[in-house]
Amino acid sequence: MPASPEPEPFGGSKGRNLSAVVAIFGSVGVAATLCYLLIVSGLTALSGLSPAKASVVAYLICTILSYYGHKHLSFASKRADAVAVPRFLASAVIGLAMAWLVPAVGDDLGWPAAVSFVLICVLVPGLNFVLLSRWVFLDDTAGNGLATDRHALLLVVPVVLLIAVTAYGVNAWRWGTIPDTSWLITVIERMSKGERLYSDLIELNPPFSVWLYVPPVRFALALGLASEGFVRAYTLLLCLMGTGMAGWMLAASGALNRRSATTTAIVLFAVTTLLSGNGFSERDQIGAVLALPLLILSAWRAQSRPARRPSLRYWLPAGLGAAVLAIVRPYYVVVVLAAACFVAFRRRDLRVLLLPEFVLSGLATVLYLAAALALYPPYFETLLPLLNDTYMAYRQPAGLLLLTALPWLALMLVYMLRRRLLDRPEPSDFLMVAALAAWVPYFLQGKGWPYQSYPATLFGSAALVVALAILFEKRRSELRLGYCAVALAAILLAHVRFAATEKPDEHLVAAATQPGENPSVGMLGSGIERGHPFARMIGGRWIEPYCSDWLAAYAAHRKETLIGAGDKTGAARFMAMETDYLIAKKARLQAGPPDVLVVDRNDALVSYMLRDFGFQSVLDGYDRVAEQGSVELYRLRAGVPTGRHVIQSSPFSASD
């Protein structure tokens, strides 16, 4: 009878199995906690130190005790202190960050505090155990250290989780829910109550911009929780899908080994979630991230003699991801075409344009357009021509657009310097070609807004990350740290435009917030960022059909441009458009004045509305309660009747 197998020893812990290591690890943790309590009590009682100072001293002492306890008892590690101590301190910082971020995320999602505490008690010790056993105290001489892929991959889950939680917390704290996303959440919630898109609610973008956020918002509504947290988590999940599939294809194509591809995917996930700033959760960001697999697959297709041919499980997600990019903003079809043409150029064969991923992305786009036309004819019949005359006709000067693109050149410069070190075609080449192609939509749109440059920034950053991964795998270099530092500097410089925040000022939010109130909210101004996410942050109900007064603002701009060009007939048409909108706007405010009114005094349109169009009579029923910069906050005076606006059957103009 064969002997029973011996328990597999855990790491370098002197042959002890996992259960024994876990038990000792827990005992050391409990002992460190008891020591902390005893030291704090003794210092406060005997030395007279304040609790805060005593806590710091006790924590430092217990950190030292915890280090030696885990090193010699939990893991019996022989790793040098010079290597283990910095890693131990880093793991302690990571644990503290997790302990801070989990309650922050919980507050944002609206779950009870007890749930956060339970998660901390489970996640933080678990994360610490993985980091200490597989990174801090794992002996390289034990024969199964981090040199093996198996142990390296054990760190993937906690590292990805840490990046995701950090990105969630940082984005919520610094940028909040960006204006465009906040407005789309409002649109979906009002649609769930029976209002009609492009009839009762006027959204500038085609319906997929709304459909993209329906899953998390409807899920939040079903649970009775705030939608913002679910949209943020949903965006993180989509970013993980896009970067994860890109890494998967890098390994499958043979461009990188499994470990390098995994590391590359993690770095790309960090770039897309931690550096996207005011572009986080924008349609452009989601589409660009989901298109990454197609660009890696295109490089795979360009190989003259690939080790294996891409199967359905590779080209299907790549094609669908590319379709999302093309659908969220049709201009981005240029990126997909650039990838297809580059493959054809590499292979010297135009038949590759009919590869299944390209056909699938094109077919999905056509089917979407057909469905949108059938479901929402008002968008194509009425709103799209209106947008073509106003919003789409507005363009920033070409010189300003070029100036905003300059930081991106750092990516190109560093990439070209790296590209000289490897001669054969790489996946990074396809990413850089896509980045160059993505600037075409930016200049065609001509608005100069940061999020419209995000695809070019992401693809260029990804090209640099993938290029470095290939370089480090194929060629050992003593300058690795220097290469990484230069690449990081270039990536940060390219992302600098996304650092600015449009999060509403806390002073205005506090002034408008009253416990237990869900005020109706309106606005005088053309900037969407003045009303969104402000209305949602105060628990308010946005009751106008438009996100802002953009239609009147763009009509006024076109009117002034045509007057300057001497086209009085064309100017009269846009003046009538502006007048019709303002008549309808004033009628809505008088029929049902909102409880809270936001006014942007720095907006030229607002000055015209108050001075020449009688909107001052609307403000006469309000008291100004706060102001921050050019933004003023008004609250409806007691005794003035309020109510929900009477939405016209077609709010495009007063005469409809």
Side-chain angles (χ1 to χ4, degrees):
M1 182 175 181
S4 300
E6 293 292 331
E8 182 182 355
F10 186 76
S13 303
K14 294 184 178 179
R16 292 176 298 184
N17 59 29
L18 177 59
S19 58
V21 174
V22 171
I24 299 174
F25 174 83
S27 299
V28 171
V30 171
T33 302
L34 292 176
C35 287
Y36 169 81
L37 295 174
L38 289 173
I39 294 172
V40 167
S41 301
L43 289 175
T44 52
L46 300 177
S47 67
L49 285 177
S50 66
K53 294 180 180 179
S55 178
V56 172
V57 173
Y59 185 83
L60 292 175
I61 294 174
C62 290
T63 297
I64 298 173
L65 295 175
S66 179
Y67 171 79
Y68 283 105
H70 286 311
K71 179 178 181 180
H72 296 293
L73 298 177
S74 299
F75 306 107
S77 174
K78 296 180 180 179
R79 171 160 278 179
D81 291 335
V83 177
V85 169
R87 296 187 179 193
F88 182 81
L89 294 176
S91 67
V93 171
I94 292 172
L96 287 173
M98 183 70 75
W100 174 76
L101 286 167
V102 168
V105 173
D107 291 342
D108 196 49
L109 292 175
W111 63 41
V115 176
S116 297
F117 294 142
V118 170
L119 286 175
I120 290 173
C121 292
V122 174
L123 292 177
V124 174
L127 179 62
N128 282 338
F129 182 80
V130 172
L131 291 174
L132 294 181
S133 63
R134 296 306 187 193
W135 184 48
V136 178
F137 295 124
L138 186 64
D139 294 335
D140 293 333
T141 58
N144 53 359
L146 283 178
T148 64
D149 288 344
R150 184 170 66 89
H151 284 134
L153 291 174
L154 286 174
L155 291 173
V156 170
V157 173
V159 169
V160 168
L161 179 62
L162 180 64
I163 292 172
V165 175
T166 303
Y168 187 104
V170 169
N171 280 286
W173 163 71
R174 168 65 178 170
W175 293 280
T177 304
I178 61 171
D180 287 348
T181 304
S182 180
W183 162 244
L184 291 173
I185 293 173
T186 299
V187 168
I188 296 168
E189 290 181 349
R190 287 174 58 173
M191 288 174 63
S192 69
K193 297 177 181 178
E195 295 189 47
R196 299 165 298 169
L197 185 61
Y198 305 125
S199 295
D200 302 323
L201 295 159
I202 308 304
E203 160 59 16
L204 283 75
N205 296 284
F208 189 79
S209 296
V210 179
W211 296 349
L212 185 62
Y213 301 94
V214 165
V217 174
R218 287 297 178 92
F219 186 65
L221 290 174
L223 296 178
L225 299 174
S227 299
E228 284 79 358
F230 287 90
V231 170
R232 200 169 288 121
Y234 170 75
T235 303
L236 289 170
L237 179 60
L238 293 179
C239 288
L240 182 60
M241 288 173 55
T243 56
M245 286 190 295
W248 178 42
M249 292 184 187
L250 282 169
S253 65
L256 292 171
N257 63 37
R258 184 182 178 189
R259 181 181 177 186
S260 297
T262 301
T263 303
T264 301
I266 292 174
V267 173
L268 290 176
F269 179 59
V271 169
T272 58
T273 57
L274 294 174
L275 301 182
S276 51
N278 56 42
F280 183 77
S281 79
E282 279 281 6
R283 304 175 300 279
D284 304 67
Q285 184 213 21
I286 292 174
V289 175
L290 292 180
L292 287 174
L294 177 81
L295 303 177
I296 304 301
L297 180 61
S298 298
W300 188 356
R301 295 285 196 186
Q303 296 177 13
S304 57
R305 294 180 180 178
R308 56 190 298 195
R309 296 176 62 85
S311 60
L312 173 69
R313 60 178 177 166
Y314 298 108
W315 62 256
L316 181 61
L320 292 177
V324 172
L325 177 65
I327 289 172
V328 295
R329 208 173 293 276
Y331 293 99
Y332 292 136
V333 72
V334 173
V335 175
V336 181
L337 291 174
C341 292
F342 198 37
V343 177
F345 172 75
R346 291 288 197 190
R347 296 288 299 272
R348 304 296 193 271
D349 186 356
L350 289 177
R351 290 177 299 177
V352 301
L353 298 177
L354 299 178
L355 287 169
E357 58 268 23
F358 300 125
V359 173
L360 175 61
S361 62
L363 181 61
T365 303
V366 171
L367 291 176
Y368 156 72
L369 290 174
L373 183 60
L375 294 172
Y376 296 105
Y379 178 80
F380 297 93
E381 296 170 359
T382 308
L383 184 56
L384 192 57
L386 188 65
L387 291 171
N388 187 59
D389 284 342
T390 54
Y391 171 79
M392 296 170 69
Y394 173 78
R395 296 179 56 83
Q396 294 279 9
L400 180 60
L401 295 175
L402 287 170
L403 184 64
T404 59
L406 284 180
W408 179 88
L409 293 179
L411 294 173
M412 173 63 80
L413 177 61
V414 176
Y415 179 75
M416 294 305 296
L417 293 175
R418 197 277 344 162
R419 186 66 182 83
R420 297 172 59 187
L421 301 177
L422 292 175
D423 297 327
R424 67 183 181 86
E426 305 289 354
S428 55
D429 294 335
F430 281 81
L431 290 164
M432 188 55 72
V433 167
L436 291 169
W439 281 115
V440 175
Y442 179 77
F443 286 100
L444 285 177
Q445 293 174 92
K447 304 297 186 293
W449 293 326
Y451 68 83
Q452 293 179 345
S453 68
Y454 186 81
T457 304
L458 174 60
F459 296 149
S461 301
L464 200 49
V465 170
V466 173
L468 287 176
I470 295 173
L471 175 63
F472 294 158
E473 182 178 306
K474 305 301 182 185
R475 295 177 56 176
R476 295 283 181 177
S477 174
E478 296 180 357
L479 300 176
R480 176 174 299 196
L481 184 59
Y483 283 140
C484 290
V486 172
L488 178 60
I491 291 172
L492 291 176
L493 181 61
H495 282 81
V496 71
R497 293 196 67 202
F498 308 109
T501 179
E502 294 175 322
K503 189 176 181 180
D505 187 85
E506 295 180 358
H507 171 66
L508 292 179
V509 174
T513 303
Q514 294 187 4
E517 184 191 35
N518 299 111
S520 53
V521 183
M523 183 178 74
L524 302 183
S526 58
I528 184 176
E529 72 279 1
R530 301 306 186 196
H532 310 276
F534 173 80
R536 301 185 60 82
M537 291 176 70
I538 66 172
R541 296 176 290 107
W542 187 262
I543 55 176
E544 297 200 55
Y546 297 83
C547 63
S548 70
D549 298 321
W550 59 267
L551 178 55
Y554 286 116
H557 179 268
R558 291 281 285 152
K559 176 190 69 177
E560 296 298 329
T561 301
L562 292 173
I563 289 175
D567 185 354
K568 295 183 179 180
T569 302
R573 184 169 73 89
F574 285 103
M575 181 179 293
M577 186 184 299
E578 177 188 22
T579 300
D580 284 347
Y581 174 86
L582 294 178
I583 288 174
K585 167 92 173 184
K586 186 178 178 182
R588 290 195 303 271
L589 290 177
Q590 291 175 332
D595 299 313
V596 174
L597 190 63
V598 182
V599 179
D600 186 359
R601 290 283 183 175
N602 201 36
D603 193 323
L605 176 67
V606 174
S607 299
Y608 172 68
M609 294 166 71
L610 295 174
R611 184 185 66 247
D612 301 331
F613 226 83
F615 276 81
Q616 184 59 50
S617 63
V618 175
L619 283 185
D620 289 342
Y622 287 82
D623 293 318
R624 189 173 67 181
V625 295
E627 63 178 301
Q628 186 68 34
S630 65
V631 180
E632 296 179 345
L633 188 66
Y634 291 82
R635 180 169 284 277
L636 192 65
R637 191 170 296 142
V640 178
T642 184
R644 190 173 179 83
H645 289 315
V646 179
I647 306 286
Q648 301 177 45
S649 60
S650 176
F652 291 118
S653 69
S655 59
D656 286 344

